Amino acid sequence: MRCVVVTAARATRNADDDGHTGRAAPRRADGSPAHADRPDASPAHADRPDVPPAYAAPPHATRADDPLPRPVLRSAVELYLDLHAHPELSGHERRTAGRLAARLTELGCTVTRSVGGGHGIVGVLDNGPGPVVLLRTELDALPVTEATGLAYASTVPGVMHACGHDLHIAAVTGAVALLAASRDTWRGTLLVVGQPEEETLNGARSLLEEGRLYERFGVPDAVLAQHAAPLPAGTLAHAPAGGPPLMAASVAVEAVLHGRGGHAATPHLNVDPVLMAAATVLRLRTAAAEATAPAEQAVLTVGSVRAGERGNVTPDRAELSLTVRAFTQDALDRLTTAAERVVRAEAAASGAPRAPGFTVTARSPALVPDPELTARVRGAHERLLGPGRVLDLSGSSATEDFPHFAAGGVPVAYWMLGTTGPGPWRTARAGGDPVPPNHAPGFAPDVRAALPVGIAALAAAARQVLAPRSAEGRGTDS
């Protein structure tokens, strides 16, 4: 997932500043002053030089990781390393869901498996009457071959956690650990949702509709999530109030072009769906420009073309997978209609023996975080890290199915978690290799800086909604 940073100069300045001048004093996840001692590196991986030390932050990172207890960080890092090495594709997240469920159970949550018909899980940490806060994390990986060279790289051929979902899972377990250990300071209910199939944009709707998430576990007062992004590690980023949607709305489509197969030596007897697909792809590229105004932001991408098995055989069908993205529903509908028109027109122009298929497989609305909730969460993050490490974002044409959790007017907050270490960031700024973005084979978060901040950020955000427990009431119930 790519993010466009409005304050690029500010982000660069923060990433290059190795000192602490102007930074707010270190804070705990609840905003209270942090102690000064730093836990040492995790002994569990001391003999693996390219495994990031669990507790040693790089010089440019926030010291928000200082107050995190050593066992919390150790467990989160070990879970991250394991999940990264064992990624699972959308719809197949059995092992990943099991690891998350086991960790939530250890932390005192009541866990329900197979929510929504897939591998969705829900953990409930009930701490008395009060607000309900939902923390969402994704479970699935991508069909990408890893090229990071890390010792804990994927052991599954052709599958990789190239979008940071492993980091999200580890961070949410760390946040739950912090909140579970401080139950005498807050009241309410914490819901933790492990969502499968985010990459196909089907998982959230499955949880909410088939799994009846809100009917069974209660309508939350707030839904919170964060996402790894190629921003400086140790920073967070929010959409500014009054700006465009944080992420675009999207439509996923499967198109099938029908031809007449035969011998490659007799093209006059065949109807070649490969040529039909090639013409369709080229024409779709111009459809985006013709269907949207210059001021509108819209993207049409053909991500997959599948046809044939051998060079001497003309196949009888070709399949296209495409996505349409836009910031308004009107632009999304216009571009989707234009795409269907192109697919059907090219099939007709090629003399296809029958009409093509054009099937919408998933939809997701634009992501518009709740302004009031976002302001409260952002304030907590600025108190945690200092305002200089909480950045502004412009809208991104990336898409998420997270907006479905806002169904019925439920307030949602969503922010970006920087994952790029100082070395790659400076190399890219100096004209060297660009920072590998999400979905790239070289995507490798700087875990030393990103994971502690991700843990603290989620815990601090949850505390903005959960009711504080008075000093008089502490210790009387849990």
Side-chain angles (χ1 to χ4, degrees):
M1 180 180 303
R2 286 184 180 272
C3 304
V4 181
V5 184
V6 173
T7 54
R10 178 178 170 194
T12 299
R13 183 170 62 253
N14 293 338
D16 285 346
D17 180 11
D18 286 346
H20 305 294
T21 304
R23 182 188 304 164
R27 300 276 176 175
R28 298 181 185 272
D30 61 0
S32 62
H35 57 68
D37 58 306
R38 179 187 298 275
D40 51 15
S42 168
H45 304 290
D47 59 339
R48 296 169 64 182
D50 60 346
V51 174
Y55 316 114
H60 80 300
T62 174
R63 296 179 67 87
D65 55 338
D66 286 356
L68 299 185
R70 185 176 303 173
V72 170
L73 278 168
R74 178 181 292 112
S75 293
V77 169
E78 291 176 347
L79 179 60
Y80 170 79
L81 296 175
D82 177 71
L83 294 175
H84 190 87
H86 300 92
E88 295 175 304
L89 291 174
S90 304
H92 302 276
E93 309 95 332
R94 182 182 303 277
R95 183 183 185 277
T96 305
R99 289 303 315 273
L100 176 57
R103 180 63 182 138
L104 292 177
T105 301
E106 291 173 4
L107 294 171
C109 295
T110 300
V111 176
T112 304
R113 300 282 298 270
S114 302
V115 179
H119 297 295
I121 71 167
V122 177
V124 181
L125 187 65
D126 188 350
N127 199 30
V132 178
V133 177
L134 190 156
L135 304 181
R136 192 287 303 255
T137 184
E138 316 94 305
L139 305 177
D140 52 342
L142 285 161
V144 174
T145 299
E146 182 160 356
T148 63
L150 296 169
Y152 53 93
S154 171
T155 59
V156 182
V159 183
M160 175 192 176
H161 267 299
C163 204
H165 295 179
D166 48 352
L167 184 67
H168 304 170
I169 297 170
V172 83
T173 61
V176 174
L178 291 181
L179 293 166
S182 58
R183 294 175 67 170
D184 63 337
T185 66
W186 59 272
R187 291 184 294 105
T189 300
L190 192 66
L191 299 181
V192 183
V193 171
Q195 178 199 318
E197 299 187 74
E198 187 277 329
E199 295 294 352
T200 63
L201 301 180
N202 288 317
R205 291 186 65 179
S206 175
L207 286 169
L208 290 161
E209 296 176 6
E210 298 173 39
R212 299 181 293 111
L213 179 66
Y214 290 169
E215 296 175 41
R216 296 170 61 186
F217 301 96
V219 178
D221 295 283
V223 182
L224 308 174
Q226 62 188 358
H227 204 293
L231 301 170
T235 66
L236 302 172
H238 285 271
L246 181 57
M247 291 187 185
S250 69
V251 170
V253 173
E254 292 292 322
V256 180
L257 299 168
H258 300 285
R260 183 182 300 116
H263 200 289
T266 59
H268 59 294
L269 300 178
N270 309 331
V271 176
D272 193 341
V274 177
L275 292 177
M276 198 186 309
T280 301
V281 171
L282 293 176
R283 187 69 178 84
L284 283 170
R285 299 292 291 181
T286 64
E290 295 170 352
T292 56
E296 289 181 310
Q297 291 180 280
V299 179
L300 190 157
T301 304
V302 179
S304 174
V305 180
R306 305 174 295 278
E309 299 291 340
R310 298 285 299 274
N312 62 347
V313 178
T314 297
D316 60 5
R317 61 186 279 150
E319 301 171 357
L320 307 178
S321 296
L322 58 109
T323 58
V324 181
R325 307 162 189 262
F327 285 96
T328 66
Q329 192 61 45
D330 179 61
L332 187 69
D333 291 343
R334 274 188 280 115
L335 189 48
T336 303
T337 299
E340 183 173 7
R341 185 173 62 248
V342 166
V343 169
R344 297 193 182 282
E346 290 294 342
S350 300
R354 57 192 176 106
F358 190 90
T359 305
V360 173
T361 58
R363 291 181 179 271
S364 183
L367 173 53
V368 183
D370 180 80
E372 181 181 354
L373 178 61
T374 297
R376 292 165 61 191
V377 171
R378 179 169 187 151
H381 289 165
E382 290 181 346
R383 291 189 294 275
L384 178 73
L385 305 180
R389 298 195 181 277
V390 181
L391 313 176
D392 290 332
L393 288 176
S394 65
S396 166
S397 56
T399 58
E400 250 267 34
D401 64 357
F402 180 75
H404 290 299
F405 288 99
V410 175
V412 301
Y414 190 102
W415 61 92
M416 297 299 173
L417 171 65
T419 61
T420 305
W425 184 267
R426 289 171 179 156
T427 297
R429 284 196 60 230
D433 292 338
V435 173
N438 300 46
H439 294 210
F443 180 70
D446 185 328
V447 183
R448 294 180 303 168
L451 182 54
V453 173
I455 291 171
L458 280 171
R463 287 184 177 278
Q464 292 305 298
V465 184
L466 295 166
R469 190 182 295 274
S470 65
E472 293 78 8
R474 295 180 187 177
T476 60
D477 57 76
S478 59

